[in-house]
């Protein structure tokens, strides 16, 4: 008998990872990237108040963080005009998605998502033995009606919908999603990933009572708040579901310094407005760079812009490789036909200057490869 | 049908938590504790180099942390003279224990631990439906021979052993554990929790090849390195087991700032020596305070001292409550007969002054309650 003995499920899982980090690519190429525009991070960074709060809190890091995340949970509840009992905080949305899938999905249970949507959600579903059913995008948007119909057809436990969407940057209004939810089948929880919603037009967030048992909304400090490395995400849901997380979560898992930083970030609305403006300007600039190269930038309600390279996935992959050769870290959608695109995170002027300088050569290289 | 639908296992789990945090108690009593001596935190804190590294890294927290934890993993490998492929890093030992149990324990699978040992391990075993078999302490020490015999008897997947032990502070030499491992049954992985080993006498750590498939050793930056709030723990194991964690872990789950801090902490051996000295002095002082009050301090190889209050669990609980009333946060063992003790983390002079001032009254109050 070999040691250790894995569960049959664990033994069956592939050793793949949802994403390769840019640091891995940098080690492979032997040089750092000139512009880090691939992970939808927010290069404009956290509020200076949040940085100051974290710097001050480092001296306190000999203490475990509050396992109830009390202060942050209450501040978030006040912000969203819900009860603290409607808020669960975890190690990023990624961590919370893992806990949610663990609570609700066993071997063979059906789950629905869009083909090409967030791979980390799929990783968790596979990791707990769920059976994943995928619905295609429609006109580069997730398709709520088709998702909910597939959920009914498969008796799904969960249906995942990111709004705004990653990787396409597209979105629905909150009202459109609420209307579509009339077809959400009984017993199926809507996992509404609103990671990018602070970058989106007003009205994009769903406006429903927090106690509505049909959905859980996920938010994060990783995107508009500029704290991806801090690992603080949260869910807004009915109290029963929030309490259920306490059965399985790593109670002391949220970094104490990060809790202090998130609390300060949440209080600095001025910085959030500033960042929104920077993001909007960077989106425009990325759109202009695309047009200058004969490409089409898709509309975006996020902190990235998805650019249609106009040909197939092989061509877009070649463009991406050409950008990487020139020091630009970017990523692209995984699924056809969205993989005709590349995805560029909003950057500072210098980052986008570097992208603008690299793109023509990367495109030419990709064209030459396609003809060669 | 209610929404969400939980798995049968999730529905069956209690909503209890392994530990109540001191912040929760502080909110309950309406005042902060004067001395925080209950969670085996290291009040002497991290290396100043680690604090400086974390303060500098806060500005980079817009970036996700390296999901491979490459630099820290390689530094740890060099420190332990193993390959980087023998090291897995996670969100504290707590997080890694959860992943390990998930990989190896399914519903009904047997797991062995000591009655009164680390409750968070038990929490994870219950959380994945494992069947927990408990072995009593012997003379206030974990009993490797009895643990491994119980593992053979129950066909256990995992056997948990903390060395040095929490909550008793007792320990075995590494050589004694290696000798006992001759009786470790085939197919059973030894989960050797060495969280406190940097506080212990030389020779307490097990000295076995990292590729030995019979065990995984857990270490942490939470104790001697003074970074409990940072959430960085690691495991040393055979490469196959390390790779298996990649199937289930939250790849981006380790805080970027914490990675930088741990790297700097690991490099500052001078600070570690300093802290070891402070801990040793604090252990002596706690022992003296116990003696001054007619109590017996147990020998300790950790950053806490367990004090035998000489009566039963009810009496020790009353002492603990009396200490809390006087602003001293402490904890105590859960299981009989170890629950005759209270557990005091090593503190600064001022913390221990406060403890020394509070203990006589807390004891008197407990005696009066016992007689009343």
């Amino acid at each position: 008998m070999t040691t250790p003995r894995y569960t049959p499920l664990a033994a069956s899982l592939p050793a793949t990872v949802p994403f390769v980090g840019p640091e891995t690519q940098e080690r492979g190429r032997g040089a750092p990237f000139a512009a880090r525009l691939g992970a939808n991070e927010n290069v404009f960074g956290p509020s200076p108040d949040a940085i100051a709060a974290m710097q001050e809190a480092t001296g306190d890091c000999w203490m475990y963080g509050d396992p109830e995340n009390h202060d942050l949970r209450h501040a978030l509840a006040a912000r969203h005009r819900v009860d603290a009992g409607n808020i669960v905080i975890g190690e990023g949305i990624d961590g919370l998605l893992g806990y949610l899938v663990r609570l609700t999905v066993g071997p063979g249970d059906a789950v629905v998502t869009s083909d090409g949507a967030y791979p980390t959600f799929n990783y968790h579903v596979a990791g707990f033995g769920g059976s994943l059913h995928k619905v295609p995008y429609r006109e580069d948007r997730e398709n709520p009606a088709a998702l909910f119909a597939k959920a009914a057809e498969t008796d799904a436990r969960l249906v995942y919908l990111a709004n705004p969407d990653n990787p396409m940057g597209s979105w629905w209004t909150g009202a459109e999603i609420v209307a579509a939810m009339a077809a959400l089948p009984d017993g199926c929880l809507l996992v509404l990933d609103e990671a990018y919603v602070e970058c989106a037009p007003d009205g994009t967030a769903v406006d429903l009572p927090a106690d509505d048992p049909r959905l859980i909304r996920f938010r994060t400090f990783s995107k508009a708040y500029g704290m991806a490395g801090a690992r603080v995400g949260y869910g807004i849901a009915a109290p029963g579901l929030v309490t259920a997380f306490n059965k399985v979560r790593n109670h002391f898992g949220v970094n104490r310094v990060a809790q202090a930083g998130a609390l300060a970030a949440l209080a600095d609305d001025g910085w959030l407005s500033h960042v929104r403006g920077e993001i909007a300007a960077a989106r425009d600039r990325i759109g202009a760079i695309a047009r200058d190269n004969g490409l089409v930038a898709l509309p975006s309600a996020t902190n990235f812009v998805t650019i249609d390279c106009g040909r197939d996935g092989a061509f877009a992959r070649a463009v991406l490789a050409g950008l990487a050769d020139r020091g630009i870290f970017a990523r692209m959608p995984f699924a056809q036909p969205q993989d005709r695109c590349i995805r560029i995170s909003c950057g500072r002027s210098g980052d986008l200057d570097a992208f603008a300088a690299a793109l023509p050569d990367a495109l030419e290289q990709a064209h030459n490869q396609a003809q060669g």
Side-chain angles (χ1 to χ4, degrees), chain A:
Chain A
M1 199 186 311
T2 58
T3 303
R5 288 178 279 173
Y6 297 105
T7 68
L9 175 58
S12 75
L13 292 174
T16 54
V17 303
F19 289 107
V20 176
E23 290 83 2
T24 305
Q25 294 186 45
E26 289 177 332
R27 287 188 289 270
R29 67 198 294 270
F33 286 115
R36 183 169 162 130
L37 302 173
N40 299 345
E41 296 158 331
N42 174 1
V43 68
F44 305 109
S47 154
D49 293 351
I51 291 179
M54 287 189 276
Q55 288 180 333
E56 183 169 336
T58 54
D60 288 338
C61 88
W62 62 271
M63 290 182 272
Y64 289 102
D66 175 13
E68 297 188 359
N69 304 288
H70 176 275
D71 295 351
L72 181 57
R73 210 155 39 84
H74 281 259
L76 287 167
R79 164 62 56 106
H80 293 292
R81 298 168 194 265
V82 302
D83 289 340
N86 292 116
I87 305 278
V88 56
I89 294 175
E91 307 91 332
I93 294 178
D94 284 2
L96 290 166
L97 285 173
Y99 297 133
L100 178 66
V101 172
R102 178 175 163 193
L103 285 169
T104 57
V105 177
D109 287 337
V111 175
V112 171
T113 187
S114 299
D115 190 19
Y118 194 47
T120 303
F121 178 72
N122 301 357
Y123 167 79
H124 288 307
V125 172
F128 288 99
S131 178
L132 200 60
H133 300 270
K134 295 179 177 177
V135 168
Y137 280 63
R138 180 162 181 261
E139 296 175 354
D140 295 328
R141 293 207 289 180
E142 294 206 68
N143 187 340
L147 286 164
F148 301 162
K150 178 63 79 175
E153 175 195 329
T154 60
D155 188 27
R157 296 293 186 101
L158 302 176
V159 56
Y160 177 87
L161 172 63
N163 191 56
D165 171 58
N166 174 23
M168 301 309 288
S170 52
W171 71 102
W172 298 87
T173 67
E176 288 168 326
I177 289 179
V178 171
M181 284 174 66
L184 187 68
D186 199 26
C188 178
L189 184 75
L190 171 59
V191 182
L192 185 62
D193 185 344
E194 296 185 329
Y196 296 96
V197 79
E198 294 91 354
C199 309
D202 286 349
T204 305
V206 152
D207 183 15
L208 282 172
D211 287 352
D212 191 318
R214 297 176 298 166
L215 83 165
I216 183 168
R217 277 163 273 192
F218 285 115
R219 301 285 186 96
T220 183
F221 286 88
S222 297
K223 303 301 177 185
Y225 287 100
M227 291 173 55
R231 311 283 61 221
V232 186
Y234 60 101
I236 307 172
L241 178 52
V242 166
T243 302
F245 280 85
N246 284 332
K247 298 178 171 188
V248 299
R249 71 187 178 94
N250 182 2
H251 290 266
F252 290 85
V254 180
N255 182 293
R256 184 180 186 96
V257 179
Q259 290 186 34
L263 195 60
L266 188 67
D268 190 355
D269 283 328
W271 183 259
L272 186 63
S273 286
H274 162 74
V275 168
R276 279 185 182 132
E278 295 278 9
I279 287 171
R283 284 194 302 234
D284 290 346
R285 173 93 195 277
I286 296 169
I289 294 167
R291 276 192 302 279
D292 290 346
N293 286 273
L295 307 180
V296 174
L298 306 187
S300 169
T302 64
N303 72 334
F304 60 86
V305 176
T306 301
I307 297 175
D308 187 341
C309 291
R311 299 181 60 163
D312 62 3
F315 180 76
R317 275 188 290 279
V319 175
L320 207 63
L323 288 171
D325 289 345
R326 290 161 183 81
I328 311 296
F329 166 58
R331 285 192 178 131
M332 60 182 285
F334 296 103
Q336 289 180 338
Q338 283 72 39
D339 68 351
R340 72 190 189 279
C341 301
I342 59 173
R343 195 193 69 180
I344 309 296
S345 305
C346 290
R348 291 164 297 207
S349 295
D351 300 320
L352 299 184
D353 290 347
F355 171 61
L359 183 58
D361 291 344
L363 283 167
E364 187 182 348
Q365 181 180 320
H367 278 294
N368 291 340
Q369 282 180 21
Q371 289 164 355

